[in-house]
Amino acid sequence: MDMIYLDSNATTRPAPEVVRAMADMLEHDWANPSSAHRLGQRARAKLDEAREQVASLVHCAPGELFFTGCGTEAINTAIRGLLLARTPRRRIVTSTVEHSATRELCQQLARDGYEIVEIGVDEQGELDLVHFQDIVDDQCALVSLMWANNETGVVWPVETLSAHCRSKKVPLHMDATQAVGKIPVDVTSLGIDAASFAGHKFHGPKGVGALFTRKGIRLKPWLIGGPQERGRRGGTENTAGIVGMGAAAKVAQATLQQMVKVETMRDDFEERLLRNVPDTQIHAGRATRLPNTSNVGFAALSAEAILLSLSEKGICASAGAACSSGSLEASHVLQAMRVDHRHAHGAIRFSLSRYTTQDELEHTLSTLPAIIGKLRQVMPV
Ligand code: PLP
């Protein structure tokens, strides 16, 4: 059997339609979309089509969307751009479980004199809505929260968050990087002000992202130096990447229903794992979650040892966030959820996609009990 890929929250396999669209772009429509000649116009038309495809997936007008170099850049642009465009207000509300793109930027902003308030979560990873409603008042400059958590898959009640922000006239940015392509994302009907996306999280290419900003919302550009993207993001566009992201959006929209099947497979996987491997728990298992994500705590083991053994058997998974693997510190998300140390240190994230097969999960289920049993004998933590 080929490698079994259960790490789709780190990145997804590009869809064949994406690969074809990108190859075609690189081969035939490689001109600069800002050029006035016919070749440039052809590249521009492809870019416009990709913008429409992504806008259609997230339900906004194409003009409300511009492309960035990745999800991290979209998040940085949203937070800094909304702050700079506004306000003498200095309070930013975020959460304890954000991706490092938001967390580290907010730490930097704290050093620059902003007041950062991090809302906590409960044992299931659900946001403390009482604290949220209390702290988000008309003194806030900005709220930035994730739509769905990359480690646990927990999905927050965006409608409630948005309604409160609107009532206080505080702009709301959602990091929708993990949500899009897995659950319906409708930025317009939910009334949010800004949202960030990354192509590689929904079977598009890496190195391209997008930022939605609601019509009428003021945003200062962050990357300055050209008229591209109507002055909202300078620099010659990554045309092949953008076209790939557009193709991925088109396929994601057409196949979103398949995530129901993915969820059934994930639930069955978890149920049988709990039955077959003692002293194991599912993190955030009772929360509203993305259909593809399973965060499993194997007690008394280190996640690194489990990952290595899985990798030797051809199974790719991850320890919490991909960027925190390699460190022995338990993930900040599981710590915020007050997961006990025994399970937090042995936490593995399995993240499925529409390409995951039942055979692959059967193989993983039959491989895991022996790995866990052996590691608990030879290297318990
Ligand atoms: N936000 C979340 C929730 C993520 O999971 C990621 C990627 O892991 C990002 C932001 C950053 O996206 P990118 O890697 O495209 O910069």
Side-chain angles (χ1 to χ4, degrees), residues 9-10 70-72 75 99 101 146 148 150 175 177-178 198 200-201:
N9 285 10
C70 55
T72 301
I75 291 167
H99 184 269
M146 40 192 357
N150 48 310
D175 171 3
T177 309
Q178 289 291 348
H200 72 112
K201 304 293 188 185

Side-chain angles (χ1 to χ4, degrees), residues 45-320:
K46 289 271 179 91
L47 232 61
D48 290 345
E49 187 187 6
R51 198 184 314 278
E52 280 165 20
Q53 288 164 328
V54 179
S56 171
L57 176 64
V58 302
H59 297 273
C60 67
E64 293 176 309
L65 204 68
F66 63 93
F67 291 104
T68 63
C70 55
T72 301
E73 186 194 315
I75 291 167
N76 271 254
T77 307
I79 295 178
R80 286 193 186 274
L82 289 169
L83 286 176
L84 289 174
R86 224 168 138 80
T87 183
R89 297 180 199 170
R90 306 296 284 176
R91 187 191 303 147
I92 302 168
V93 174
T94 176
S95 85
T96 51
V97 295
E98 296 299 309
H99 184 269
S100 52
T102 302
R103 281 183 94 209
E104 291 182 21
L105 174 59
C106 285
Q107 285 161 7
Q108 177 61 49
L109 291 168
R111 288 191 287 275
D112 295 343
Y114 283 91
E115 178 199 357
I116 308 293
V117 179
E118 290 187 343
I119 311 280
V121 296
D122 67 11
E123 284 80 359
Q124 288 297 314
E126 303 278 16
L127 195 70
D128 179 348
L129 289 177
V130 174
H131 187 199
F132 171 79
Q133 282 172 346
D134 210 37
I135 200 77
V136 177
D137 59 17
D138 53 15
Q139 289 313 302
C140 269
L142 171 70
V143 174
S144 182
L145 293 168
M146 40 192 357
W147 198 305
N149 189 276
N150 48 310
E151 296 192 32
T152 58
V154 174
V155 178
W156 284 341
V158 183
E159 199 166 356
T160 307
L161 304 175
S162 167
H164 184 72
C165 287
R166 256 179 300 153
S167 75
K168 301 293 174 189
K169 299 195 169 32
V170 177
L172 171 65
H173 165 249
M174 298 297 304
D175 171 3
T177 309
Q178 289 291 348
V180 74
K182 296 174 188 143
I183 53 173
V185 166
D186 185 333
V187 293
T188 301
S189 77
L190 290 170
I192 61 183
D193 299 298
S196 297
F197 314 103
H200 72 112
K201 304 293 188 185
F202 56 98
H203 304 286
K206 281 165 267 299
V208 60
L211 177 59
F212 154 79
T213 52
R214 186 171 57 74
K215 188 167 185 253
I217 199 96
R218 280 167 53 220
L219 179 106
K220 270 218 164 165
W222 180 242
L223 213 54
I224 293 170
Q228 291 87 357
E229 297 297 87
R230 291 205 275 123
R232 293 169 296 179
R233 198 263 188 186
T236 303
E237 298 90 339
N238 168 9
T239 51
I242 290 171
V243 163
M245 187 170 175
K250 185 177 173 196
V251 185
Q253 200 167 13
T255 57
L256 198 58
Q257 267 307 314
Q258 291 179 19
M259 295 313 284
V260 176
K261 187 178 132 227
V262 172
E263 183 165 25
T264 307
M265 285 164 64
R266 187 273 315 268
D267 290 349
D268 175 69
F269 175 77
E270 289 185 341
E271 222 176 279
R272 289 165 61 195
L273 202 57
L274 289 181
R275 240 186 289 137
N276 296 335
V277 185
D279 219 348
T280 296
Q281 66 186 26
I282 308 297
H283 299 133
R286 294 198 305 282
T288 307
R289 277 186 299 166
L290 293 173
N292 77 317
T293 307
S294 180
N295 191 307
V296 186
F298 298 99
L301 287 176
S302 99
E304 281 72 20
I306 304 170
L307 281 184
L308 271 178
S309 303
L310 281 171
S311 180
E312 274 167 19
K313 300 280 181 194
I315 300 166
C316 307
S318 144

